[in-house]
């Protein structure tokens, strides 16, 4: 079995090109995985997204270069959590413990990390011709609506 965090690796997530590179690297690894391993990867991704679904992180404002600030939408927060996961297990763990540093994942360029949500299911469908079905204790609704807040 391939370890989720080994597949994720780590990225500094400082701009859109680093996110694109991380997604490409992960995609290449997923391409070599069997369908059951792809399902396990998707399950672990759901779990990681669910666990970092914290109110304090959802309340970090989006800051634009012009000094404007606005609240994250539920989609923006989901993609920011994806960017945090792309940063790797160490950074993810630090954010989970302290909440400090999440603002870099709220930056508009980090929305590119949305692609992480689709990599395993697209590869699964390419290999099997069927849609991936993931059974998990971690709700897809909480991944996009920030309802599972664990303050």
């Amino acid at each position: 079995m391939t370890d989720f965090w080994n597949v994720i690796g780590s990225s500094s997530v400082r701009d859109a090109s680093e996110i694109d590179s991380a997604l490409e690297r992960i995609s290449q690894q997923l391409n070599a995985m069997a369908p059951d391993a792809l399902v396990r990867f998707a399950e672990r991704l759901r779990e990681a997204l669910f666990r970092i679904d914290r109110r304090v992180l959802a309340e970090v404002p989006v800051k634009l270069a012009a000094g404007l600030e606005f609240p994250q939408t539920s989609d923006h927060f989901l993609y920011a959590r994806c960017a945090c996961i792309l940063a790797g297990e160490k950074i993810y763990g630090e954010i989970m413990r302290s909440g400090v540093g999440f603002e870099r994942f709220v930056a508009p360029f980090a929305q590119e990390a949305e692609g992480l949500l689709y990599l395993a299911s697209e590869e699964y469908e390419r290999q099997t011709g069927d849609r991936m079905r993931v059974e998990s204790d971690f709700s897809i609704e909480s991944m996009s609506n920030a309802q599972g807040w664990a303050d």
Side-chain angles (χ1 to χ4, degrees), residues 30 104 112 132:
L30 294 176
R104 87 180 207 218
E112 294 289 320
M132 179 187 283

Side-chain angles (χ1 to χ4, degrees), residues 63-74:
K63 295 180 182 180
L64 301 179
L68 297 171
E69 290 186 10
F70 57 92
Q72 295 181 71
T73 64
S74 59

Side-chain angles (χ1 to χ4, degrees), residues 23 35 39-40 48 65 71 82 97 101 120 123 126 133 141:
L23 292 174
V39 171
R40 285 192 304 273
C82 287
R97 283 187 295 283
E123 178 57 24
R126 187 188 69 74
R133 301 204 194 306
E141 287 78 25

Side-chain angles (χ1 to χ4, degrees), residues 27-100:
S27 178
Q28 289 174 4
Q29 290 188 61
L30 294 176
N31 290 347
M33 295 168 80
D36 61 326
L38 292 167
V39 171
R40 285 192 304 273
F41 179 88
E43 289 168 345
R44 289 292 315 274
L45 176 59
R46 278 187 181 210
E47 178 181 355
L49 289 165
F50 180 85
R51 293 195 185 287
I52 200 163
D53 186 349
R54 308 272 173 103
R55 180 184 306 261
V56 68
L57 301 178
E59 292 175 348
V60 172
V62 177
K63 295 180 182 180
L64 301 179
L68 297 171
E69 290 186 10
F70 57 92
Q72 295 181 71
T73 64
S74 59
D75 283 345
H76 193 111
F77 182 48
L78 173 60
Y79 308 151
R81 287 181 285 154
C82 287
C84 182
I85 289 168
L86 286 177
E89 184 175 22
K90 180 180 178 211
I91 298 297
Y92 176 89
E94 290 171 5
I95 299 290
M96 288 286 292
R97 283 187 295 283
S98 70
V100 175

